[in-house]
Every structure is written in C-alpha cells, then in structure tokens.
C-alpha cells in the first residue's frame, strides 16, 4: 500500500530514533556513525522546519502553475479545470517521491495535499450558485476530501492527512446534523468518534514507524469524544458568560461521562504505559473538573485558575519526586528522566512560545498615560500586571 | 524495534545499552520528563493569572496593607529560596538545582509586578513616573535572569523593557512617532543589546536566542507593518531585506534553521506585499507568474542550502 518500501521506512525510522538517542546522550557519536553506516543510504528526509517551508513553497508553486496554465488556456480557473488538475497533481507527487527518493520532504506533500484540495474545491466551485441542498453539497464536497486525505495517509503515511480527513468527516456530519439541537448533534458526533476509536483498535501489528503516530491519533479521538460530550465547553473559556440552568438526561449523562471517561483512560494508560492516552486523558480530566461549575450554573471565582494552577504544580512536583525515588529513577516503567531529545530546530518553536507566554503573563502592565494611549503600550492590557486587568 | 537486536548482534550497541533502548522503544520504559515540566510551567502561569485577577476584582480597595504584605512575603520567600538554593554564578549555562527552581524565581518576579501594579492602583505612588518603575523592573529582572541563568525571567525582562519603550513613546505625543516606530526602536535595541552581550562581550552566550527571537520578530514585524502601512515605502522594504539577509546569513553561519526560516519568510512576505501594493503585479496572470517563479526559486535555494542548515544531531 505504501509508496515507500517497508524496509526503507523501517531504516529511516531506525536512524531517526538513533539520532534521538544521540541527542539524549544514550549513545555516543562514534556509535551513531557506525549505525548510520550500517543502515546505508536513505531516502531524503527534511527536518520539521525545512519540511514546512518546502510544503508551503510547493503549494504556492503548484497553485501558481495551475493558475498560469488556466489563465493562458481558458482565461479563468474554473471548477472543472481545478478538478482536472487534481489527478496530475497527485501523479506528480507520487513521481517526485519515486524519482527523487523523498521521504516526508515537504514539496511532494504539499502537491499531494493540493490534489485533494483541487478536487474538493473544484466540486465546490461547480456547485456554487446551483440550487443544491446544503447537506448534499457537504457530502459532495466533503466526501472526496475524506477519501482523498485518507488515501494520502494509507499511501504516504502523513498523519496530518488522517486528522484532516477526520475533520472533514466531522464537518460533513455537522452540516447534516444541523437540524438537531446542539447537545444532541454533539452527542451523535461523539458516538461517531467513539466508533472510529473502536474501529482503530482493529489495526493489529502497527509497524514501529507508525506506532507513535497511530497512538496519538487514537488518543486524539478519545480526547475529541470527551470534548464533544462536554455540554458546557463554550462557557468554559468565557469567564464572564452567564450561568445556564442544568437539566435533562443527556445533560447529566454527559456530565458523568466526561468525568468517568478520562479517569478510566488515565488508569488504563498508566497500567498499559500509553503516554499519549495518559496526556490526553489527563487534559480531558482537567477540562472536566473545570466544567463542573459551568455545568451546574455555579458562579466562578477569579481565584479558580490559581487553585487549579497550584494543584498542577503540586502534582508535577509530587510525581517527579515519586518517580525519582524509585529504583534507578523508575516506577512501573515510568520515569521523570529525559530519555528523548528533539532536533534543535524542533525545540525552538516550543521555547519561543514558552518564553512569550511567560513574558506576557509576568511583565508588569503599563498604566496608560492620561493624555494618550498608544497601541504599542498594550494599554495596560489584560495580560499585564501578572495577568491582572488593564488597571494594573 | 527489531533493529536494536540487529545492531546488538553486530556489536554496534552494548548489551546494557541495547536493553535500555529496547525498553524505551518497546514502550516498557516511558519518560514523563517534558510532560512534568509542562505541567509545572502551566501551573505557575495559572497561579499568576489567578492571583492577578483575584487582586483586581476583590482586593483593590480592601486591606491594602495585608495584600501588600502578603505579596512582599511571597517575593521575599521566592528570593530567599533562590539565593539559598541557587548555584554560584557562572558565565556558562547552569543547570537548575531543583526542578521547581526556575519557576520559583519566575513566580517571584511575577509577584513583584503584581505588587507594584496593586500599589499603584491603591496609592498612586508613581503616577506619570510609572516608566521609572518599568525601567527599574526590567533592570532587576535582567540582573536576576543573569544571576540565576533563567530564560523565563530574561524573557520577562525583555517584555518589561518593551513596556518601558511603549510608555515613553506614548508620552512623546508625536503623531509620526507611532507604535510601529516604537517597535522599530525596541526591536533594534533588543537585537543590539543581545549581540553586544552574547557575541561581543560573550556574557552568557546561551541567552542569545532569547534576545534575537524577541528583537528579530518585533523589528521585522514593525518593518513589515511599515511597508504595508506606508503604501510600500522603499526604505522600509530595503531595511527589511537587509534584516532578513542578516538573519538568513546568521542562520547559515550557526547552522540554525530557525533564523534562516525567519529571514526567508519575512523577506518573501515583505517583497510580495511591496510588489502588490505598488502595483508592479497588477493582474492575475502576472501575479501567478510572480508566485510561480519566486516560490520555485526559493524552494531551489533552500534545497541547495539545506545541507548547511539541518542539524541531525
């Protein structure tokens, strides 16, 4: 099924893992060189940032090429023309992979994704202005996208294509469930996601190079179920939202579910050592606990985030101590020691965001002068003064 | 991972090493290092946010002495913890003595900001001289960041310096010296400060990315804004291209792809905006041809430079 040979994927994954070990200090440089020599020449693979840049320029170039051809040939780029460009784009992506031995390099990914976008977008353009029911339009536009993106995952292993296919399917169904009240349609979507999660477990013997991604996908499906079931998600982030009265079997049923599911998932993940499920289950639990007040229309206090924060700090410190106190810093297969290290270019965005958030929260706010306020001063914005209001 | 067994049988991995790696890759040993750090970080941010909101909503006019005293106590406690546990100063990177150490210092700095914001609201101590507080706080945070080797506090210091710039510029009341000019001045200052401290004086060289990230984005963002806002001023575009080229060259020299990426993206967006705004590209075919040629040219350039940029290790 995969365009890359199984052996090639195994070796690429193996050497990427070995480089990770080297960065984490688990093997030395001489060993890594020996492993690289042993594995031999590999398909070209770009790092995260270069891949993103190639993806972007691949998409821009392909769109521009299609536009140039379309404009020179028919004086406009029509829906039919876009659909016609879809297959050549896909074939070009496959040919690029084969002839240049590219493995997740960016350019070929952009062109392959563009093929799906041309197909769906072209159908949407053809249907525009015609008297077709919105639910049918959603199917006609969304289904090719779901199938196309799903095919990209099966054929090329792009995990984001699988997520995009899921999003497209959810979008199609959301349009079709629009006649139902929001709680019911969300619950039905949750059932669909749970069904997909169930189906995903039928995939046995996931190869090493796909295992982590597949586990992340499954955990995300689970997280999505919890979020879709949460009937007060919209209130959660809006601290000034007015409390809504509780009521109904579905309402109380979902409340129980959003609490029970994450606890079950965390317990299962701890026992089975499934990190992705542990992280997602824990986040779902935090969201569920934060939803208790909005669920029952109780007033929220400004110190609630501080209490949650203190609990998280306490939990982090406790877990670190607990794990460190175990034999060789391990307990039941879990450790607080760093055993993996991403490439420097992959660490940079996280470091930048961390510092940005830290600076925006703790930077003392600017009290705007009486005479004039300047946008650059932040106007004592809500993030100033340790997150206090504009008056700080 | 069956490759581990293969490499072990070839003698490329030692038995103990292979056992650890097999545990790691087989899912029998799982590290929670980065997750626990993220949990700690998110917790501290939430505590600071919650404190700020609580003070603002409930204690603005109540018990100023008690609130002020409590904040002072928090600052003193954080300071005492850091000075008693902290490792001696060193010019090189210093590892945190405890997992919570960096966050305690950061929390103390946030409490300092809360204290002064609160006092200013209640007592109006500084009034229009508020900028002195910002400048002093920035200096204090810089000193603490350097003393304890803390990037979060350094980012806070740079942010506070930005607040001071914003305040001073808004006080000028000059219509032509507006926000983007303040951004230009601030971004350039942070870049120069970072270059002088980390490259020239070689004082804590590992801090350079914090300075350069903040300075580069603010300066390039302000230049880009100026290119768009002034309907394509050539001087701003030239300055943006020079800055982008410098960032790209620096990325190549350091084998750091992030600076090359920033330089490429800012230059491309700036030049494209300029050409579109100035009307050099004014119909669909010209636009399509421009984007086709430029994106292919850039993709080829990056492909050629890739071996000099990627860091596998």
């Amino acid at each position: 099924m995969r365009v890359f040979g199984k052996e090639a994927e195994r070796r690429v994954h193996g050497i990427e893992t070995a480089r990770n070990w080297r960065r984490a200090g688990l093997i030395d440089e001489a060993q890594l060189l020996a492993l690289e020599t042993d594995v031999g020449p590999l398909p070209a693979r770009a790092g995260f940032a270069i891949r993103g840049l190639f993806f972007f320029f691949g998409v821009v170039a392909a769109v521009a090429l299609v536009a140039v051809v379309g404009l020179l040939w028919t004086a406009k780029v029509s829906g039919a023309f876009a659909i016609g460009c879809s297959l050549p784009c896909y074939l070009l992506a496959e040919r690029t992979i084969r002839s240049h031995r590219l493995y997740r390099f960016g350019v070929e990914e952009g062109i392959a994704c563009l093929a799906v976008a041309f197909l769906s977008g072209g159908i949407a353009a053809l249907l525009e202005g015609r008297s077709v029911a919105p639910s049918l339009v959603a199917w006609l536009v969304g289904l090719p996208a779901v199938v196309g993106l799903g095919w990209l995952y099966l054929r090329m292993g792009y995990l984001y294509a699988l997520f995009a296919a899921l999003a497209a399917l959810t979008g199609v169904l959301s349009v079709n469930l629009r006649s139902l009240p929001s709680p019911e349609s969300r619950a039905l979507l949750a059932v669909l996601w749970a069904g997909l999660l169930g189906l995903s477990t039928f995939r046995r013997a996931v190869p090493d190079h796909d295992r982590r991604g597949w586990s992340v996908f499954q955990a995300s499906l689970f997280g999505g179920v919890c979020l879709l079931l949460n009937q007060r998600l919209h209130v959660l982030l809006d601290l000034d939202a007015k409390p809504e009265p509780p009521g109904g079997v579905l309402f109380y049923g979902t409340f129980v579910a959003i609490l029970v599911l994450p606890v079950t998932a965390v317990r299962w993940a701890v026992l089975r050592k499934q990190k992705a499920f542990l992280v997602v289950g824990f986040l779902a639990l935090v969201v569920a606990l934060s939803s208790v007040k909005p669920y029952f229309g109780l007033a929220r206090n400004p110190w609630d985030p501080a209490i949650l924060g203190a609990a998280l700090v306490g939990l982090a410190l406790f877990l670190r101590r607990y794990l460190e106190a175990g034999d060789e810093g391990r307990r039941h297969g879990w450790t607080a020691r760093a055993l993996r290290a991403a490439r420097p270019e992959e660490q940079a965005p996280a470091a930048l965001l961390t510092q940005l958030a830290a600076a925006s929260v703790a930077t003392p706010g600017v009290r705007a002068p009486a005479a004039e306020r300047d946008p650059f001063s932040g106007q004592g914005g809500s993030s100033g003064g340790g997150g206090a209001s504009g008056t700080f | 991972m069956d490759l581990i067994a293969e490499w072990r049988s070839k003698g490329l991995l030692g038995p103990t090493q292979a056992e650890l790696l097999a545990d790691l890759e087989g899912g029998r040993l799982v590290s929670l290092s980065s997750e626990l750090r993220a949990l700690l970080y998110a917790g501290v941010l939430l505590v600071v946010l919650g404190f700020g909101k609580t003070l603002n909503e409930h204690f603005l006019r109540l018990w100023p002495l008690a609130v002020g005293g409590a904040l002072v106590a928090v600052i003193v406690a954080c300071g005492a913890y850091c000075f008693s546990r902290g490792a001696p100063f060193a010019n090189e990177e210093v590892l945190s003595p405890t997992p919570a150490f960096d966050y305690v210092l950061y929390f103390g700095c946030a409490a300092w900001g809360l204290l002064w914001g609160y006092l200013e609201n209640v007592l109006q101590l500084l009034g229009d001289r508020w900028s002195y507080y910002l400048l002093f706080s920035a200096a204090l945070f810089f000193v603490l960041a350097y003393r304890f080797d803390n990037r979060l506090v350094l980012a806070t210091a740079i942010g506070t310096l930005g607040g001071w710039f914003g305040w001073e510029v808004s006080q000028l009341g000059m219509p032509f010296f507006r926000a983007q000019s303040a951004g230009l001045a601030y971004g350039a200052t942070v870049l120069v400060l970072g270059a002088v401290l980390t490259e020239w004086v070689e004082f804590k060289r590992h801090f350079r990315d914090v300075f350069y990230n903040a300075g580069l984005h603010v300066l390039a963002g302000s230049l880009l804004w100026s290119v768009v806002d002034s309907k394509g001023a050539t001087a701003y575009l030239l300055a943006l291209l020079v800055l982008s080229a410098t960032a790209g060259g620096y990325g190549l020299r350091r084998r750091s792809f992030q600076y090359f990426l920033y330089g490429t993206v800012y230059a491309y967006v700036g030049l494209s905006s300029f050409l579109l705004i100035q009307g050099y590209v004014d119909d669909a075919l010209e636009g399509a041809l421009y984007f086709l040629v430029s994106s292919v040219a850039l993709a080829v350039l990056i492909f050629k430079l890739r071996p000099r940029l990627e860091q596998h290790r």
Side-chain angles (χ1 to χ4, degrees), chain B residues 29 108 124 149 171 174 202 223 231 288 291:
Chain B
L29 176 62
Q124 280 90 40
D149 204 75
Q171 290 287 52
M174 294 159 71
E202 298 199 347
L223 284 169
K231 299 282 182 284
F291 282 111

Side-chain angles (χ1 to χ4, degrees), chain A residues 127-219:
Chain A
L127 293 172
E128 200 180 338
R130 292 169 197 258
S131 55
V132 185
S135 55
L136 183 60
V137 172
W139 279 113
L140 291 173
V141 174
L143 204 57
V146 174
V147 174
L149 291 163
W151 173 254
L152 289 189
Y153 175 74
L154 291 174
R155 183 77 177 146
M156 296 165 187
Y158 305 146
L159 189 63
Y160 57 81
L162 193 58
F163 277 103
L166 179 65
L169 181 62
T170 308
V172 170
L173 291 173
S174 299
V175 172
N176 281 274
L177 293 172
R178 212 181 268 169
S179 58
L180 290 175
S182 174
E184 279 78 0
S185 68
R186 287 170 63 98
L188 281 174
L189 285 174
V191 171
L192 166 81
W193 280 47
L196 290 174
L197 177 59
L199 277 178
S200 74
T201 59
F202 283 98
R203 186 181 178 188
R204 302 282 177 201
V206 182
D208 285 333
H209 52 265
D210 267 359
R211 192 176 298 146
R212 195 165 296 154
W214 191 247
S215 161
V216 167
F217 177 68
Q218 288 182 311

